[in-house]
Amino acid sequence: MCKARASTPERAGNQPHVTSIDMDIHVNQKLLTLPDGATVADALTAYGARPPFAVALNGYFVARAQHGARALQAGDRLDIVSPVAGG
């Protein structure tokens, strides 16, 4: 789902009215709203993910080196998996 959000003009009032689009994605089955054009890295920051973790986008692994370049789309599903130690 995409949501339109109107930004507020600068104090001087000389700036044109700009509309930005937000998108909803799911991170670990929780809804997260991000600006259009957000990347995996943006989602990880907004979610508050703390390393170490692995990331899957719509079921496919995303290498750490690709987090900043991999753009998200509305409806994407991001899974963040942290290692678990046991014995």
Side-chain angles (χ1 to χ4, degrees):
M1 172 189 282
C2 292
K3 300 176 187 174
R5 179 181 62 193
S7 64
T8 56
E10 297 296 320
R11 286 185 174 192
N14 298 347
Q15 300 296 322
H17 185 71
V18 178
T19 300
S20 66
I21 303 293
D22 288 345
M23 65 178 161
D24 291 335
I25 67 165
H26 285 88
V27 179
N28 289 357
Q29 300 179 0
K30 295 182 182 177
L31 188 65
L32 182 66
T33 301
L34 296 170
D36 189 40
T39 64
V40 169
D42 296 328
L44 293 170
T45 299
Y47 186 75
R50 295 171 53 169
F53 53 77
V55 177
L57 177 59
N58 299 322
Y60 294 95
F61 172 74
V62 179
R64 185 173 320 204
Q66 297 176 343
H67 289 181
R70 185 66 188 259
L72 298 170
Q73 296 181 9
D76 277 347
R77 188 181 79 245
L78 200 62
D79 296 304
I80 305 167
V81 182
S82 297
V84 177

